[in-house]
């Protein structure tokens, strides 16, 4: 039938998060790493939806706009009927962007006078109420995102957050309207248009809200959201949940985890892995900056332990430690040093026979997939809300099972639990 939904995501883990929800709703999904150079017939992709993973969340706004417009052009050339701009469920951005500038650029290119914005994903504790974003039971501004090194989120009012980034007036569709169903939501869209609004923040406190919103957004050429809205869109084309949409080839080979996230959730996952006594190697950015071959040391450690089960290589640290390193090296330099090192480690692990790889952190995931030369992922079964297993074909023809986990996602035992799930799928 060709591509029904064309998606662009502002980081790599966010792309798989979105793809995961589309697969759960019955769509066959292929994720592309960056914008392909060639234009191909959408029917040749053998998917109902395509997600293009960009690395544009924290780049300069002009670069994010350029990358997003290239992705849009490719998706339209492949026949996508509706466009979905996916960002983080914690609305990661600054007053300069990048959510607002990218949204405006996509609207201009599509000739769209109106669109929506909602990062809500109730399955992962992200809800929007009266325009305010909650992370679990606390406002975004009171959550760990308040201390994010690149996009500190100190305001929970998404109307004001987005208004600072766009010249189009931003309105609100509140929870009482959403509870009234798709027709009530569409009526509110029309009212906001007449008032001059170009974008509407939409409340959502449950999956039912997202289903209603998905139906209401059927005719919008562009939707912008976290991954949660994906559960409400596939039904517009008649798709229903199906296990067949998530099938992957059998898994095998060594297992490893590479973690570069500084989030609270990933810190907990690293601590839980360490608590079990499994082998783990800590990557110190100060040693990298001093010229030590930290990647080589990590791989030597892996050589001694891969045969005994999963090995963890991590740079995850507490916020105070991260800030101290950033003071000495600079935030951008520290991040790039770690990303490059972990990408080299991932390459070496795959060369050593790792075929089941867990990667934690959006920036780390982007560096790893690029280093491995992965250009396409088939999306498989969900591990945790927002995180699926994926399959990629390596240059030599082997299948690599890989999961790209957003730093904020997953429970304490995510690292070992994800690998156990894959073993169950293969048995």
């Amino acid at each position: 039938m060709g591509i029904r939904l064309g998606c662009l995501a502002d980081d790599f883990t966010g792309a798989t998060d979105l793809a995961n929800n589309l697969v759960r709703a019955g769509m066959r999904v292929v994720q592309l790493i960056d914008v392909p150079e060639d234009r191909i017939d959408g029917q040749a992709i053998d998917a109902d939806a395509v997600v293009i993973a960009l690395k544009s969340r924290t780049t300069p706004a002009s670069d994010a706009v350029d990358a997003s417009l290239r992705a849009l052009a490719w998706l339209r050339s492949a026949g996508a009927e509706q466009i979905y701009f996916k960002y983080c469920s914690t609305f990661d951005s600054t007053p300069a962007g990048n959510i607002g500038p990218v949204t405006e650029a996509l609207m201009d290119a599509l000739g769209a006078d109106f669109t929506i914005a909602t990062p809500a994903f109730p399955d992962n504790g992200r809800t929007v109420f009266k325009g305010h974003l909650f992370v679990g039971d606390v406002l975004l501004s009171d959550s760990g995102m308040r201390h994010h090194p690149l996009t500190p989120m100190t305001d929970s009012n998404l109307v004001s957050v987005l208004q600072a980034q766009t010249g189009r007036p931003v309105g609100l569709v509140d929870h009482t309207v959403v509870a009234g169903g798709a027709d009530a939501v569409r009526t509110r869209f029309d009212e906001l248009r007449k008032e001059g609004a170009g974008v509407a923040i939409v409340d959502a406190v449950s999956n039912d809200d997202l289903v209603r919103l998905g139906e209401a957004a059927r005719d919008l050429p562009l939707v912008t959201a976290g991954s949660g809205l994906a559960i409400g869109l596939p039904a517009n084309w008649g798709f229903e949940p199906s296990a067949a949409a998530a099938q992957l080839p059998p898994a095998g080979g060594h297992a490893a985890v590479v973690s570069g996230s500084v989030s609270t959730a990933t810190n907990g996952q690293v601590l839980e892995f360490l608590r079990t006594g499994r082998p783990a190697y800590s990557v110190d950015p100060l040693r990298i900056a001093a010229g030590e071959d930290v990647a080589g040391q990590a791989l030597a450690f892996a050589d001694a332990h891969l045969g005994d089960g999963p090995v963890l290589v991590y740079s995850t640290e507490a916020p105070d430690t991260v800030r101290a390193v950033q003071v000495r090296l600079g935030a951008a330099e520290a991040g790039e040093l770690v990303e490059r090192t972990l990408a080299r480690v991932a390459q070496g692990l795959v060369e050593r026979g790792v075929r089941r790889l867990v990667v934690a952190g959006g920036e780390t995931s982007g560096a790893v997939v690029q280093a491995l030369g992965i250009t396409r992922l088939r999306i498989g079964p969900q591990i945790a809300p927002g995180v699926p297993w994926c399959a990629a074909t390596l240059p030599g023809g082997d299948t690599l099972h890989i999961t790209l986990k957003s730093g904020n996602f997953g429970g304490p035992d995510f690292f070992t639990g994800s690998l156990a799930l894959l073993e169950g799928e293969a048995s």
Side-chain angles (χ1 to χ4, degrees):
M1 294 186 295
I3 299 173
R4 300 306 183 92
L5 187 63
C7 313
L8 55 135
D10 66 1
D11 83 340
F12 288 73
T13 57
T16 54
D17 173 11
L18 170 60
N20 173 66
N21 278 347
L22 293 173
V23 167
R24 290 172 62 212
M27 281 183 149
R28 297 168 305 137
V29 181
V30 165
Q31 178 176 325
L32 304 178
I33 308 304
D34 211 341
V35 184
E37 295 182 0
D38 58 325
R39 296 282 194 268
I40 62 174
D41 185 341
Q43 294 187 5
I45 298 177
D46 190 30
D48 307 307
V50 170
V51 181
I52 296 180
L54 303 175
K55 200 176 181 185
S56 59
R57 180 169 298 169
T58 56
T59 62
S62 58
D63 293 346
V65 166
D66 289 345
S68 300
L69 289 177
R70 286 191 297 109
L72 173 64
W74 192 94
L75 291 167
R76 294 179 77 184
S77 74
E81 299 174 17
Q82 187 177 46
I83 301 299
Y84 190 138
F85 167 39
K86 192 275 176 192
Y87 36 74
C88 189
S89 63
T90 44
F91 216 67
D92 298 19
S93 54
T94 70
N98 292 341
I99 293 174
V102 170
T103 296
E104 288 200 301
L106 295 174
M107 292 177 72
D108 290 342
L110 289 165
D113 69 330
F114 183 82
T115 190
I116 57 172
T118 181
F121 189 5
D123 283 354
N124 260 341
R126 314 296 192 262
T127 54
V128 181
F129 180 72
K130 294 186 180 296
H132 289 70
L133 178 57
F134 286 78
V135 177
D137 294 328
V138 302
L139 287 164
L140 173 68
S141 54
D142 295 327
S143 74
M145 283 301 299
R146 176 179 190 82
H147 304 294
H148 194 284
L150 299 178
T151 54
M153 302 304 294
T154 58
D155 187 356
S156 303
N157 186 337
L158 298 187
V159 174
S160 63
V161 170
L162 188 56
Q163 192 63 81
Q165 303 178 33
T166 175
R168 288 175 165 85
V170 179
L172 174 65
V173 181
D174 77 15
H175 65 103
T176 60
V177 174
V178 177
D183 288 342
V185 174
R186 279 190 286 261
T187 297
R188 179 59 177 152
F189 288 171
D190 292 339
E191 291 172 354
L192 289 170
R193 282 189 175 100
K194 291 175 183 177
E195 295 169 7
V199 186
I201 300 295
V202 185
D203 281 358
V205 298
S206 68
N207 284 354
D208 288 342
D209 288 340
L210 293 172
V211 171
R212 287 187 282 264
L213 177 57
E215 181 182 350
R218 177 195 301 267
D219 297 323
L220 294 180
L222 170 71
V223 296
T224 86
S227 67
L229 183 61
I231 70 174
L233 293 177
N236 291 338
W237 290 281
F239 292 100
E240 297 179 351
S242 167
Q247 289 183 343
L248 295 179
H254 292 312
V257 181
V258 173
S259 176
S261 170
V262 297
S263 74
T264 301
T266 304
N267 269 319
Q269 290 154 4
V270 168
L271 289 175
E272 174 62 18
F273 191 97
L274 296 176
R275 186 194 66 78
T276 67
R278 291 180 170 89
Y281 188 90
S282 176
V283 169
D284 182 351
L286 296 178
R287 288 170 49 211
I288 303 171
E292 291 188 40
D293 182 13
V294 174
Q297 295 165 8
L299 290 170
F301 176 86
D303 284 334
H305 296 285
L306 276 174
D308 300 324
V311 171
L312 167 65
V313 178
Y314 68 101
S315 67
T316 303
E317 297 289 353
D320 288 347
T321 304
V322 173
R323 282 192 290 271
V325 171
Q326 290 175 336
V327 167
R328 292 187 60 178
L329 302 180
E333 177 65 16
E336 290 172 5
L337 284 173
V338 170
E339 286 173 31
R340 288 197 299 267
T341 298
L342 292 180
R344 282 186 55 207
V345 169
Q347 279 182 301
L349 290 171
V350 170
E351 289 169 358
R352 288 159 170 77
V354 167
R355 294 295 180 267
R356 294 168 289 150
L357 181 63
V358 177
V359 186
E363 299 300 317
T364 303
S365 293
V368 166
V369 296
Q370 289 175 334
L372 294 176
I374 295 172
T375 60
R376 180 180 297 196
L377 294 169
R378 173 66 68 176
I379 308 301
Q382 174 174 277
I383 304 166
V387 193
W389 273 110
C390 308
T393 302
L394 296 170
D398 284 356
T399 296
L400 172 68
H401 287 74
I402 185 170
T403 183
L404 309 174
K405 186 194 82 73
S406 174
N408 294 308
F409 286 5
D413 64 346
F414 179 87
F415 293 159
T416 54
S418 60
L419 293 165
L421 173 68
L422 191 60
E423 291 170 2
E425 290 281 334
S427 63

